[in-house]
Amino acid sequence: MPSVASGHLFIVSAPSGVGKSTIVRAVLARDPRLRFSVSCTTRAPRPGETPGVDYHFLSQDDFESGIREGRFLEWAIVYGNYYGTDRRKVEAWLDEGLDVLLEIDVQGARKVRATDLAATTLFILPPSMDALEMRLRRRGTETEDVIRRRLEAACEEIREAPWYDYVIVNDVLEDAVADVAAVIRAARCARGRAHGALAPFVPFF
Ligand code: ADP
Ligand code: 5GP
C-alpha cells in the first residue's frame, strides 16, 4: 500500500456547445483540490478567451514539434485543429496528490484510458439535439459552417458515451454541476484511492 496518495484524473467530454466549460468552471470554483489542465490548441482564440487560462494557443509548427518531443499526454485533431494535453503539468499535480480535470474529446479520452493512469470518465449530454443547436447558436462564437460541422460531429461523439463511467445530462445547469461534483466526491472515497486516509492505519492490515 503506497504511503503517499497520488492524485486522480477526471476526464470530461461532451460535444461542443453542451455546456461542459460552463459546468467545469463552476465545479473548479468550489473544489480547491481540483486542478484544470489547460490544453494546447492550434485553433484561434474566441473573443473573451485568455491565452494560458482557456488554452495555450500554439502555431501548427510548435504543436507538431511538441508531438515529436513527446510533450503531450494525449493529442487529437478535433474539428480540423490540433488539441493536446501538456503532460508535464498534469503529472506534477498528480504527484503532489492533487486531482486533475481534463476537458478533452472522445479520441483523447480513449488515449488516456489506454495509459496506466487511473481516470474517471464523465460524458455530458445535451437534453436534446435541438437544445444543443440552440446553445451553439446562442453562444455566437462560431460561423454557420462551423456550427453545422460541430452538430454533425456531435452525433458521432454521442455514440461513444456508453463506455464512459458516468453520463450526465446538462438540462438544468445547477443539477449538472452538482452531479459532476458528486462523481468527483464519490471517486475520492473509492476504496482504491483511499490510501491517504488509510495510511495511519497501515499496521492494522
Ligand atoms: P462547451 O464548453 O460544451 O462547448 P459552453 O460551456 O461554451 O459549451 O456552453 C455553450 C452555451 O450554452 C453557452 O452559451 C452557455 O452559457 C450555455 N449553457 C450551458 N449550460 C446550459 C444549460 N444547462 N442551459 C442552457 N444554456 C446552457
Ligand atoms: P473548443 O474548440 O470548443 O474549445 O473544443 C473543441 C473540442 O476539443 C472539445 O470537444 C474539447 O473537449 C476538445 N479538446 C479541448 N482540449 C483538448 C485536448 O487537450 N485534447 C483533446 N483530445 N481534445 C481537447
Side-chain angles (χ1 to χ4, degrees), residues 12-17 20-21 38-41 43 46 49 55 74-79 83-86 103-109 139 142 150 157:
V12 175
S13 302
S16 181
K20 66 187 168 307
S21 304
V38 178
S39 293
C40 299
T41 183
R43 87 148 158 75
R46 292 187 185 125
E49 283 186 331
Y55 281 103
E74 61 72 36
W75 64 270
I77 296 175
V78 191
Y79 315 131
Y83 291 82
T85 302
D86 203 317
E103 191 188 314
I104 62 178
D105 87 316
V106 292
Q107 306 170 74
R139 187 167 68 185
E142 270 82 26
R150 289 193 173 206
E157 289 161 348

PDB file of all heavy atoms in Angstrom, residues 12-17 20-21 38-41 43 46 49 55 74-79 83-86 103-109 139 142 150 157, ligand 2:
ATOM      1  N   VAL A  12     -13.594  14.912 -18.657  1.00  0.00           N
ATOM      2  CA  VAL A  12     -14.941  15.350 -19.039  1.00  0.00           C
ATOM      3  C   VAL A  12     -14.969  15.540 -20.551  1.00  0.00           C
ATOM      4  O   VAL A  12     -14.162  16.288 -21.103  1.00  0.00           O
ATOM      5  CB  VAL A  12     -15.315  16.676 -18.336  1.00  0.00           C
ATOM      6  CG1 VAL A  12     -16.665  17.189 -18.832  1.00  0.00           C
ATOM      7  CG2 VAL A  12     -15.352  16.491 -16.819  1.00  0.00           C
ATOM      8  N   SER A  13     -15.886  14.839 -21.222  1.00  0.00           N
ATOM      9  CA  SER A  13     -16.072  15.000 -22.670  1.00  0.00           C
ATOM     10  C   SER A  13     -17.528  15.334 -22.953  1.00  0.00           C
ATOM     11  O   SER A  13     -18.426  14.943 -22.196  1.00  0.00           O
ATOM     12  CB  SER A  13     -15.741  13.708 -23.423  1.00  0.00           C
ATOM     13  OG  SER A  13     -14.441  13.275 -23.185  1.00  0.00           O
ATOM     14  N   ALA A  14     -17.728  16.030 -24.034  1.00  0.00           N
ATOM     15  CA  ALA A  14     -19.092  16.355 -24.484  1.00  0.00           C
ATOM     16  C   ALA A  14     -18.983  16.993 -25.847  1.00  0.00           C
ATOM     17  O   ALA A  14     -17.971  17.628 -26.160  1.00  0.00           O
ATOM     18  CB  ALA A  14     -19.760  17.342 -23.531  1.00  0.00           C
ATOM     19  N   PRO A  15     -20.002  16.874 -26.658  1.00  0.00           N
ATOM     20  CA  PRO A  15     -19.988  17.618 -27.922  1.00  0.00           C
ATOM     21  C   PRO A  15     -19.907  19.115 -27.643  1.00  0.00           C
ATOM     22  O   PRO A  15     -20.370  19.588 -26.595  1.00  0.00           O
ATOM     23  CB  PRO A  15     -21.336  17.263 -28.558  1.00  0.00           C
ATOM     24  CG  PRO A  15     -21.771  16.020 -27.894  1.00  0.00           C
ATOM     25  CD  PRO A  15     -21.214  16.055 -26.513  1.00  0.00           C
ATOM     26  N   SER A  16     -19.333  19.834 -28.592  1.00  0.00           N
ATOM     27  CA  SER A  16     -19.212  21.287 -28.471  1.00  0.00           C
ATOM     28  C   SER A  16     -20.587  21.918 -28.264  1.00  0.00           C
ATOM     29  O   SER A  16     -21.534  21.573 -28.963  1.00  0.00           O
ATOM     30  CB  SER A  16     -18.579  21.820 -29.757  1.00  0.00           C
ATOM     31  OG  SER A  16     -18.420  23.209 -29.682  1.00  0.00           O
ATOM     32  N   GLY A  17     -20.701  22.801 -27.294  1.00  0.00           N
ATOM     33  CA  GLY A  17     -21.942  23.539 -27.068  1.00  0.00           C
ATOM     34  C   GLY A  17     -22.837  22.950 -26.002  1.00  0.00           C
ATOM     35  O   GLY A  17     -23.840  23.561 -25.615  1.00  0.00           O
ATOM     36  N   LYS A  20     -20.018  22.078 -21.339  1.00  0.00           N
ATOM     37  CA  LYS A  20     -19.022  21.483 -20.449  1.00  0.00           C
ATOM     38  C   LYS A  20     -18.092  22.513 -19.827  1.00  0.00           C
ATOM     39  O   LYS A  20     -17.766  22.408 -18.650  1.00  0.00           O
ATOM     40  CB  LYS A  20     -18.257  20.340 -21.109  1.00  0.00           C
ATOM     41  CG  LYS A  20     -17.387  20.724 -22.264  1.00  0.00           C
ATOM     42  CD  LYS A  20     -16.832  19.491 -22.925  1.00  0.00           C
ATOM     43  CE  LYS A  20     -16.190  19.855 -24.256  1.00  0.00           C
ATOM     44  NZ  LYS A  20     -17.087  20.632 -25.165  1.00  0.00           N
ATOM     45  N   SER A  21     -17.703  23.545 -20.585  1.00  0.00           N
ATOM     46  CA  SER A  21     -16.827  24.570 -19.989  1.00  0.00           C
ATOM     47  C   SER A  21     -17.554  25.300 -18.868  1.00  0.00           C
ATOM     48  O   SER A  21     -16.964  25.596 -17.829  1.00  0.00           O
ATOM     49  CB  SER A  21     -16.387  25.598 -21.030  1.00  0.00           C
ATOM     50  OG  SER A  21     -15.772  24.941 -22.095  1.00  0.00           O
ATOM     51  N   VAL A  38      -4.923  23.056 -18.608  1.00  0.00           N
ATOM     52  CA  VAL A  38      -5.122  23.973 -19.737  1.00  0.00           C
ATOM     53  C   VAL A  38      -4.524  23.305 -20.978  1.00  0.00           C
ATOM     54  O   VAL A  38      -3.319  23.046 -21.034  1.00  0.00           O
ATOM     55  CB  VAL A  38      -4.461  25.343 -19.469  1.00  0.00           C
ATOM     56  CG1 VAL A  38      -4.622  26.267 -20.673  1.00  0.00           C
ATOM     57  CG2 VAL A  38      -5.041  25.991 -18.215  1.00  0.00           C
ATOM     58  N   SER A  39      -5.362  23.002 -21.946  1.00  0.00           N
ATOM     59  CA  SER A  39      -4.917  22.295 -23.148  1.00  0.00           C
ATOM     60  C   SER A  39      -4.176  23.227 -24.104  1.00  0.00           C
ATOM     61  O   SER A  39      -4.304  24.452 -24.024  1.00  0.00           O
ATOM     62  CB  SER A  39      -6.126  21.729 -23.886  1.00  0.00           C
ATOM     63  OG  SER A  39      -6.733  20.721 -23.141  1.00  0.00           O
ATOM     64  N   CYS A  40      -3.447  22.611 -25.013  1.00  0.00           N
ATOM     65  CA  CYS A  40      -2.828  23.349 -26.115  1.00  0.00           C
ATOM     66  C   CYS A  40      -3.715  23.159 -27.342  1.00  0.00           C
ATOM     67  O   CYS A  40      -4.287  22.082 -27.534  1.00  0.00           O
ATOM     68  CB  CYS A  40      -1.451  22.779 -26.429  1.00  0.00           C
ATOM     69  SG  CYS A  40      -0.323  22.888 -25.032  1.00  0.00           S
ATOM     70  N   THR A  41      -3.818  24.182 -28.150  1.00  0.00           N
ATOM     71  CA  THR A  41      -4.580  24.050 -29.396  1.00  0.00           C
ATOM     72  C   THR A  41      -4.005  24.947 -30.483  1.00  0.00           C
ATOM     73  O   THR A  41      -3.377  25.970 -30.180  1.00  0.00           O
ATOM     74  CB  THR A  41      -6.079  24.390 -29.201  1.00  0.00           C
ATOM     75  OG1 THR A  41      -6.771  24.170 -30.435  1.00  0.00           O
ATOM     76  CG2 THR A  41      -6.293  25.838 -28.794  1.00  0.00           C
ATOM     77  N   ARG A  43      -6.281  26.092 -32.681  1.00  0.00           N
ATOM     78  CA  ARG A  43      -7.407  26.917 -33.148  1.00  0.00           C
ATOM     79  C   ARG A  43      -7.222  28.350 -32.642  1.00  0.00           C
ATOM     80  O   ARG A  43      -6.526  28.596 -31.664  1.00  0.00           O
ATOM     81  CB  ARG A  43      -8.752  26.321 -32.750  1.00  0.00           C
ATOM     82  CG  ARG A  43      -9.278  26.704 -31.403  1.00  0.00           C
ATOM     83  CD  ARG A  43     -10.813  26.750 -31.387  1.00  0.00           C
ATOM     84  NE  ARG A  43     -11.373  26.605 -30.052  1.00  0.00           N
ATOM     85  CZ  ARG A  43     -11.365  27.554 -29.124  1.00  0.00           C
ATOM     86  NH1 ARG A  43     -10.743  28.703 -29.333  1.00  0.00           N
ATOM     87  NH2 ARG A  43     -11.932  27.333 -27.945  1.00  0.00           N
ATOM     88  N   ARG A  46     -11.211  32.483 -29.180  1.00  0.00           N
ATOM     89  CA  ARG A  46     -12.528  33.118 -29.344  1.00  0.00           C
ATOM     90  C   ARG A  46     -12.512  34.430 -28.573  1.00  0.00           C
ATOM     91  O   ARG A  46     -11.742  34.575 -27.615  1.00  0.00           O
ATOM     92  CB  ARG A  46     -13.613  32.235 -28.722  1.00  0.00           C
ATOM     93  CG  ARG A  46     -13.825  30.954 -29.445  1.00  0.00           C
ATOM     94  CD  ARG A  46     -15.053  30.225 -28.845  1.00  0.00           C
ATOM     95  NE  ARG A  46     -15.188  28.927 -29.455  1.00  0.00           N
ATOM     96  CZ  ARG A  46     -15.247  27.769 -28.791  1.00  0.00           C
ATOM     97  NH1 ARG A  46     -15.226  27.747 -27.477  1.00  0.00           N
ATOM     98  NH2 ARG A  46     -15.359  26.638 -29.439  1.00  0.00           N
ATOM     99  N   GLU A  49     -11.584  34.768 -24.713  1.00  0.00           N
ATOM    100  CA  GLU A  49     -10.684  33.725 -24.216  1.00  0.00           C
ATOM    101  C   GLU A  49      -9.308  34.323 -23.906  1.00  0.00           C
ATOM    102  O   GLU A  49      -8.810  35.174 -24.644  1.00  0.00           O
ATOM    103  CB  GLU A  49     -10.536  32.602 -25.252  1.00  0.00           C
ATOM    104  CG  GLU A  49     -11.741  31.677 -25.281  1.00  0.00           C
ATOM    105  CD  GLU A  49     -11.561  30.469 -26.184  1.00  0.00           C
ATOM    106  OE1 GLU A  49     -10.814  30.559 -27.180  1.00  0.00           O
ATOM    107  OE2 GLU A  49     -12.180  29.444 -25.906  1.00  0.00           O
ATOM    108  N   TYR A  55      -6.839  28.225 -23.019  1.00  0.00           N
ATOM    109  CA  TYR A  55      -5.975  27.329 -23.808  1.00  0.00           C
ATOM    110  C   TYR A  55      -4.594  27.958 -23.896  1.00  0.00           C
ATOM    111  O   TYR A  55      -4.437  29.178 -23.732  1.00  0.00           O
ATOM    112  CB  TYR A  55      -6.485  27.191 -25.255  1.00  0.00           C
ATOM    113  CG  TYR A  55      -7.653  26.245 -25.440  1.00  0.00           C
ATOM    114  CD1 TYR A  55      -8.948  26.729 -25.614  1.00  0.00           C
ATOM    115  CD2 TYR A  55      -7.460  24.858 -25.459  1.00  0.00           C
ATOM    116  CE1 TYR A  55     -10.024  25.868 -25.802  1.00  0.00           C
ATOM    117  CE2 TYR A  55      -8.529  23.996 -25.652  1.00  0.00           C
ATOM    118  CZ  TYR A  55      -9.808  24.500 -25.815  1.00  0.00           C
ATOM    119  OH  TYR A  55     -10.863  23.632 -26.001  1.00  0.00           O
ATOM    120  N   GLU A  74      -1.766  13.186 -24.365  1.00  0.00           N
ATOM    121  CA  GLU A  74      -2.609  12.750 -25.485  1.00  0.00           C
ATOM    122  C   GLU A  74      -2.793  13.949 -26.390  1.00  0.00           C
ATOM    123  O   GLU A  74      -2.688  15.081 -25.941  1.00  0.00           O
ATOM    124  CB  GLU A  74      -3.969  12.220 -25.005  1.00  0.00           C
ATOM    125  CG  GLU A  74      -4.855  13.220 -24.253  1.00  0.00           C
ATOM    126  CD  GLU A  74      -5.469  14.299 -25.108  1.00  0.00           C
ATOM    127  OE1 GLU A  74      -5.819  14.008 -26.257  1.00  0.00           O
ATOM    128  OE2 GLU A  74      -5.576  15.446 -24.637  1.00  0.00           O
ATOM    129  N   TRP A  75      -3.053  13.684 -27.656  1.00  0.00           N
ATOM    130  CA  TRP A  75      -3.405  14.768 -28.565  1.00  0.00           C
ATOM    131  C   TRP A  75      -4.336  14.204 -29.635  1.00  0.00           C
ATOM    132  O   TRP A  75      -4.377  12.985 -29.853  1.00  0.00           O
ATOM    133  CB  TRP A  75      -2.159  15.411 -29.197  1.00  0.00           C
ATOM    134  CG  TRP A  75      -1.377  14.483 -30.089  1.00  0.00           C
ATOM    135  CD1 TRP A  75      -0.361  13.664 -29.688  1.00  0.00           C
ATOM    136  CD2 TRP A  75      -1.579  14.263 -31.488  1.00  0.00           C
ATOM    137  NE1 TRP A  75       0.085  12.933 -30.766  1.00  0.00           N
ATOM    138  CE2 TRP A  75      -0.646  13.278 -31.882  1.00  0.00           C
ATOM    139  CE3 TRP A  75      -2.442  14.791 -32.443  1.00  0.00           C
ATOM    140  CZ2 TRP A  75      -0.551  12.813 -33.193  1.00  0.00           C
ATOM    141  CZ3 TRP A  75      -2.351  14.319 -33.759  1.00  0.00           C
ATOM    142  CH2 TRP A  75      -1.413  13.347 -34.112  1.00  0.00           C
ATOM    143  N   ALA A  76      -5.094  15.098 -30.272  1.00  0.00           N
ATOM    144  CA  ALA A  76      -6.009  14.657 -31.323  1.00  0.00           C
ATOM    145  C   ALA A  76      -6.306  15.830 -32.241  1.00  0.00           C
ATOM    146  O   ALA A  76      -6.096  16.994 -31.870  1.00  0.00           O
ATOM    147  CB  ALA A  76      -7.321  14.158 -30.699  1.00  0.00           C
ATOM    148  N   ILE A  77      -6.774  15.493 -33.423  1.00  0.00           N
ATOM    149  CA  ILE A  77      -7.278  16.535 -34.321  1.00  0.00           C
ATOM    150  C   ILE A  77      -8.793  16.564 -34.148  1.00  0.00           C
ATOM    151  O   ILE A  77      -9.471  15.547 -34.333  1.00  0.00           O
ATOM    152  CB  ILE A  77      -6.894  16.258 -35.782  1.00  0.00           C
ATOM    153  CG1 ILE A  77      -5.366  16.315 -35.915  1.00  0.00           C
ATOM    154  CG2 ILE A  77      -7.559  17.259 -36.729  1.00  0.00           C
ATOM    155  CD1 ILE A  77      -4.843  15.932 -37.276  1.00  0.00           C
ATOM    156  N   VAL A  78      -9.294  17.714 -33.685  1.00  0.00           N
ATOM    157  CA  VAL A  78     -10.731  17.854 -33.432  1.00  0.00           C
ATOM    158  C   VAL A  78     -11.241  19.029 -34.258  1.00  0.00           C
ATOM    159  O   VAL A  78     -10.697  20.135 -34.168  1.00  0.00           O
ATOM    160  CB  VAL A  78     -11.013  18.120 -31.928  1.00  0.00           C
ATOM    161  CG1 VAL A  78     -12.508  17.988 -31.632  1.00  0.00           C
ATOM    162  CG2 VAL A  78     -10.210  17.189 -31.022  1.00  0.00           C
ATOM    163  N   TYR A  79     -12.280  18.811 -35.033  1.00  0.00           N
ATOM    164  CA  TYR A  79     -12.852  19.842 -35.905  1.00  0.00           C
ATOM    165  C   TYR A  79     -11.760  20.558 -36.705  1.00  0.00           C
ATOM    166  O   TYR A  79     -11.754  21.785 -36.836  1.00  0.00           O
ATOM    167  CB  TYR A  79     -13.656  20.884 -35.113  1.00  0.00           C
ATOM    168  CG  TYR A  79     -14.595  20.332 -34.064  1.00  0.00           C
ATOM    169  CD1 TYR A  79     -14.598  20.853 -32.772  1.00  0.00           C
ATOM    170  CD2 TYR A  79     -15.484  19.303 -34.358  1.00  0.00           C
ATOM    171  CE1 TYR A  79     -15.459  20.353 -31.805  1.00  0.00           C
ATOM    172  CE2 TYR A  79     -16.339  18.802 -33.390  1.00  0.00           C
ATOM    173  CZ  TYR A  79     -16.315  19.329 -32.126  1.00  0.00           C
ATOM    174  OH  TYR A  79     -17.155  18.832 -31.161  1.00  0.00           O
ATOM    175  N   TYR A  83      -5.457  19.560 -30.802  1.00  0.00           N
ATOM    176  CA  TYR A  83      -5.682  19.810 -29.372  1.00  0.00           C
ATOM    177  C   TYR A  83      -4.842  18.787 -28.603  1.00  0.00           C
ATOM    178  O   TYR A  83      -4.780  17.621 -29.012  1.00  0.00           O
ATOM    179  CB  TYR A  83      -7.146  19.597 -28.979  1.00  0.00           C
ATOM    180  CG  TYR A  83      -8.129  20.613 -29.515  1.00  0.00           C
ATOM    181  CD1 TYR A  83      -8.632  20.514 -30.809  1.00  0.00           C
ATOM    182  CD2 TYR A  83      -8.568  21.667 -28.720  1.00  0.00           C
ATOM    183  CE1 TYR A  83      -9.553  21.437 -31.294  1.00  0.00           C
ATOM    184  CE2 TYR A  83      -9.496  22.598 -29.204  1.00  0.00           C
ATOM    185  CZ  TYR A  83      -9.971  22.472 -30.487  1.00  0.00           C
ATOM    186  OH  TYR A  83     -10.879  23.388 -30.972  1.00  0.00           O
ATOM    187  N   GLY A  84      -4.245  19.201 -27.489  1.00  0.00           N
ATOM    188  CA  GLY A  84      -3.457  18.232 -26.725  1.00  0.00           C
ATOM    189  C   GLY A  84      -3.278  18.632 -25.274  1.00  0.00           C
ATOM    190  O   GLY A  84      -3.371  19.807 -24.917  1.00  0.00           O
ATOM    191  N   THR A  85      -3.019  17.621 -24.462  1.00  0.00           N
ATOM    192  CA  THR A  85      -2.823  17.806 -23.017  1.00  0.00           C
ATOM    193  C   THR A  85      -1.335  17.803 -22.701  1.00  0.00           C
ATOM    194  O   THR A  85      -0.639  16.820 -22.990  1.00  0.00           O
ATOM    195  CB  THR A  85      -3.486  16.637 -22.246  1.00  0.00           C
ATOM    196  OG1 THR A  85      -4.872  16.603 -22.584  1.00  0.00           O
ATOM    197  CG2 THR A  85      -3.315  16.794 -20.750  1.00  0.00           C
ATOM    198  N   ASP A  86      -0.863  18.904 -22.112  1.00  0.00           N
ATOM    199  CA  ASP A  86       0.546  19.012 -21.737  1.00  0.00           C
ATOM    200  C   ASP A  86       0.824  18.048 -20.575  1.00  0.00           C
ATOM    201  O   ASP A  86       0.211  18.157 -19.523  1.00  0.00           O
ATOM    202  CB  ASP A  86       0.825  20.463 -21.306  1.00  0.00           C
ATOM    203  CG  ASP A  86       2.280  20.799 -21.430  1.00  0.00           C
ATOM    204  OD1 ASP A  86       3.117  19.956 -21.040  1.00  0.00           O
ATOM    205  OD2 ASP A  86       2.582  21.897 -21.930  1.00  0.00           O
ATOM    206  N   GLU A 103     -10.521  18.419 -19.846  1.00  0.00           N
ATOM    207  CA  GLU A 103     -11.721  18.616 -20.673  1.00  0.00           C
ATOM    208  C   GLU A 103     -11.279  18.298 -22.090  1.00  0.00           C
ATOM    209  O   GLU A 103     -10.707  19.150 -22.771  1.00  0.00           O
ATOM    210  CB  GLU A 103     -12.162  20.077 -20.509  1.00  0.00           C
ATOM    211  CG  GLU A 103     -13.524  20.361 -21.074  1.00  0.00           C
ATOM    212  CD  GLU A 103     -13.818  21.857 -21.070  1.00  0.00           C
ATOM    213  OE1 GLU A 103     -13.573  22.533 -20.054  1.00  0.00           O
ATOM    214  OE2 GLU A 103     -14.270  22.341 -22.123  1.00  0.00           O
ATOM    215  N   ILE A 104     -11.473  17.064 -22.520  1.00  0.00           N
ATOM    216  CA  ILE A 104     -10.914  16.617 -23.805  1.00  0.00           C
ATOM    217  C   ILE A 104     -11.956  15.819 -24.586  1.00  0.00           C
ATOM    218  O   ILE A 104     -12.940  15.361 -24.022  1.00  0.00           O
ATOM    219  CB  ILE A 104      -9.619  15.785 -23.611  1.00  0.00           C
ATOM    220  CG1 ILE A 104      -9.893  14.521 -22.811  1.00  0.00           C
ATOM    221  CG2 ILE A 104      -8.546  16.628 -22.947  1.00  0.00           C
ATOM    222  CD1 ILE A 104      -8.649  13.632 -22.633  1.00  0.00           C
ATOM    223  N   ASP A 105     -11.683  15.633 -25.873  1.00  0.00           N
ATOM    224  CA  ASP A 105     -12.675  14.959 -26.710  1.00  0.00           C
ATOM    225  C   ASP A 105     -12.588  13.434 -26.543  1.00  0.00           C
ATOM    226  O   ASP A 105     -11.731  12.925 -25.808  1.00  0.00           O
ATOM    227  CB  ASP A 105     -12.499  15.381 -28.183  1.00  0.00           C
ATOM    228  CG  ASP A 105     -11.490  14.515 -28.890  1.00  0.00           C
ATOM    229  OD1 ASP A 105     -10.414  14.235 -28.306  1.00  0.00           O
ATOM    230  OD2 ASP A 105     -11.763  14.078 -30.024  1.00  0.00           O
ATOM    231  N   VAL A 106     -13.466  12.736 -27.241  1.00  0.00           N
ATOM    232  CA  VAL A 106     -13.562  11.283 -27.065  1.00  0.00           C
ATOM    233  C   VAL A 106     -12.286  10.558 -27.521  1.00  0.00           C
ATOM    234  O   VAL A 106     -11.891   9.563 -26.902  1.00  0.00           O
ATOM    235  CB  VAL A 106     -14.799  10.713 -27.799  1.00  0.00           C
ATOM    236  CG1 VAL A 106     -16.088  11.185 -27.141  1.00  0.00           C
ATOM    237  CG2 VAL A 106     -14.813  11.072 -29.264  1.00  0.00           C
ATOM    238  N   GLN A 107     -11.630  11.059 -28.558  1.00  0.00           N
ATOM    239  CA  GLN A 107     -10.382  10.417 -29.006  1.00  0.00           C
ATOM    240  C   GLN A 107      -9.315  10.515 -27.910  1.00  0.00           C
ATOM    241  O   GLN A 107      -8.616   9.544 -27.601  1.00  0.00           O
ATOM    242  CB  GLN A 107      -9.812  11.112 -30.243  1.00  0.00           C
ATOM    243  CG  GLN A 107     -10.743  11.258 -31.419  1.00  0.00           C
ATOM    244  CD  GLN A 107     -10.124  12.183 -32.460  1.00  0.00           C
ATOM    245  OE1 GLN A 107      -9.193  11.793 -33.165  1.00  0.00           O
ATOM    246  NE2 GLN A 107     -10.604  13.406 -32.557  1.00  0.00           N
ATOM    247  N   GLY A 108      -9.215  11.715 -27.326  1.00  0.00           N
ATOM    248  CA  GLY A 108      -8.238  11.932 -26.253  1.00  0.00           C
ATOM    249  C   GLY A 108      -8.556  11.080 -25.033  1.00  0.00           C
ATOM    250  O   GLY A 108      -7.661  10.514 -24.403  1.00  0.00           O
ATOM    251  N   ALA A 109      -9.848  10.979 -24.716  1.00  0.00           N
ATOM    252  CA  ALA A 109     -10.259  10.188 -23.551  1.00  0.00           C
ATOM    253  C   ALA A 109      -9.861   8.723 -23.743  1.00  0.00           C
ATOM    254  O   ALA A 109      -9.356   8.066 -22.826  1.00  0.00           O
ATOM    255  CB  ALA A 109     -11.763  10.315 -23.351  1.00  0.00           C
ATOM    256  N   ARG A 139     -24.438  30.926 -28.228  1.00  0.00           N
ATOM    257  CA  ARG A 139     -23.074  31.306 -27.807  1.00  0.00           C
ATOM    258  C   ARG A 139     -22.479  32.300 -28.800  1.00  0.00           C
ATOM    259  O   ARG A 139     -21.719  33.183 -28.421  1.00  0.00           O
ATOM    260  CB  ARG A 139     -22.194  30.057 -27.693  1.00  0.00           C
ATOM    261  CG  ARG A 139     -20.839  30.357 -27.113  1.00  0.00           C
ATOM    262  CD  ARG A 139     -20.086  29.098 -26.718  1.00  0.00           C
ATOM    263  NE  ARG A 139     -19.700  28.310 -27.901  1.00  0.00           N
ATOM    264  CZ  ARG A 139     -19.125  27.124 -27.854  1.00  0.00           C
ATOM    265  NH1 ARG A 139     -18.869  26.562 -26.694  1.00  0.00           N
ATOM    266  NH2 ARG A 139     -18.804  26.483 -28.955  1.00  0.00           N
ATOM    267  N   GLU A 142     -19.258  30.796 -33.264  1.00  0.00           N
ATOM    268  CA  GLU A 142     -18.878  30.036 -34.459  1.00  0.00           C
ATOM    269  C   GLU A 142     -19.672  30.490 -35.677  1.00  0.00           C
ATOM    270  O   GLU A 142     -20.811  30.959 -35.545  1.00  0.00           O
ATOM    271  CB  GLU A 142     -19.131  28.532 -34.237  1.00  0.00           C
ATOM    272  CG  GLU A 142     -17.952  27.795 -33.639  1.00  0.00           C
ATOM    273  CD  GLU A 142     -17.874  27.952 -32.134  1.00  0.00           C
ATOM    274  OE1 GLU A 142     -18.891  28.178 -31.495  1.00  0.00           O
ATOM    275  OE2 GLU A 142     -16.760  27.871 -31.610  1.00  0.00           O
ATOM    276  N   ARG A 150     -20.001  20.988 -36.301  1.00  0.00           N
ATOM    277  CA  ARG A 150     -19.976  20.557 -34.898  1.00  0.00           C
ATOM    278  C   ARG A 150     -21.225  19.733 -34.553  1.00  0.00           C
ATOM    279  O   ARG A 150     -21.154  18.786 -33.786  1.00  0.00           O
ATOM    280  CB  ARG A 150     -19.813  21.760 -33.971  1.00  0.00           C
ATOM    281  CG  ARG A 150     -18.397  22.322 -34.096  1.00  0.00           C
ATOM    282  CD  ARG A 150     -17.999  23.304 -33.036  1.00  0.00           C
ATOM    283  NE  ARG A 150     -16.580  23.622 -33.204  1.00  0.00           N
ATOM    284  CZ  ARG A 150     -15.758  24.019 -32.265  1.00  0.00           C
ATOM    285  NH1 ARG A 150     -16.188  24.160 -31.037  1.00  0.00           N
ATOM    286  NH2 ARG A 150     -14.493  24.266 -32.509  1.00  0.00           N
ATOM    287  N   GLU A 157     -19.890  11.714 -31.628  1.00  0.00           N
ATOM    288  CA  GLU A 157     -19.346  11.741 -30.263  1.00  0.00           C
ATOM    289  C   GLU A 157     -20.300  11.075 -29.273  1.00  0.00           C
ATOM    290  O   GLU A 157     -19.880  10.310 -28.402  1.00  0.00           O
ATOM    291  CB  GLU A 157     -19.072  13.190 -29.843  1.00  0.00           C
ATOM    292  CG  GLU A 157     -17.886  13.780 -30.595  1.00  0.00           C
ATOM    293  CD  GLU A 157     -17.837  15.308 -30.571  1.00  0.00           C
ATOM    294  OE1 GLU A 157     -18.835  15.941 -30.176  1.00  0.00           O
ATOM    295  OE2 GLU A 157     -16.814  15.854 -30.960  1.00  0.00           O
TER     296      GLU A 157
HETATM  297  P1  5GP B   2     -13.430  24.007 -28.350  1.00  0.00           P
HETATM  298  O1  5GP B   2     -12.702  24.425 -29.596  1.00  0.00           O
HETATM  299  O2  5GP B   2     -14.924  24.111 -28.478  1.00  0.00           O
HETATM  300  O3  5GP B   2     -12.894  24.660 -27.092  1.00  0.00           O
HETATM  301  O4  5GP B   2     -13.116  22.465 -28.153  1.00  0.00           O
HETATM  302  C1  5GP B   2     -13.346  21.576 -29.186  1.00  0.00           C
HETATM  303  C2  5GP B   2     -13.184  20.150 -28.706  1.00  0.00           C
HETATM  304  O5  5GP B   2     -11.803  19.899 -28.394  1.00  0.00           O
HETATM  305  C3  5GP B   2     -13.961  19.800 -27.449  1.00  0.00           C
HETATM  306  O6  5GP B   2     -14.562  18.520 -27.655  1.00  0.00           O
HETATM  307  C4  5GP B   2     -12.911  19.726 -26.383  1.00  0.00           C
HETATM  308  O7  5GP B   2     -13.258  18.827 -25.329  1.00  0.00           O
HETATM  309  C5  5GP B   2     -11.746  19.189 -27.190  1.00  0.00           C
HETATM  310  N1  5GP B   2     -10.466  19.414 -26.523  1.00  0.00           N
HETATM  311  C6  5GP B   2     -10.069  20.509 -25.821  1.00  0.00           C
HETATM  312  N2  5GP B   2      -8.834  20.329 -25.329  1.00  0.00           N
HETATM  313  C7  5GP B   2      -8.433  19.093 -25.719  1.00  0.00           C
HETATM  314  C8  5GP B   2      -7.245  18.317 -25.517  1.00  0.00           C
HETATM  315  O8  5GP B   2      -6.282  18.724 -24.873  1.00  0.00           O
HETATM  316  N3  5GP B   2      -7.204  17.097 -26.109  1.00  0.00           N
HETATM  317  C9  5GP B   2      -8.239  16.592 -26.833  1.00  0.00           C
HETATM  318  N4  5GP B   2      -8.100  15.367 -27.331  1.00  0.00           N
HETATM  319  N5  5GP B   2      -9.370  17.284 -27.046  1.00  0.00           N
HETATM  320  C10 5GP B   2      -9.471  18.514 -26.486  1.00  0.00           C
END
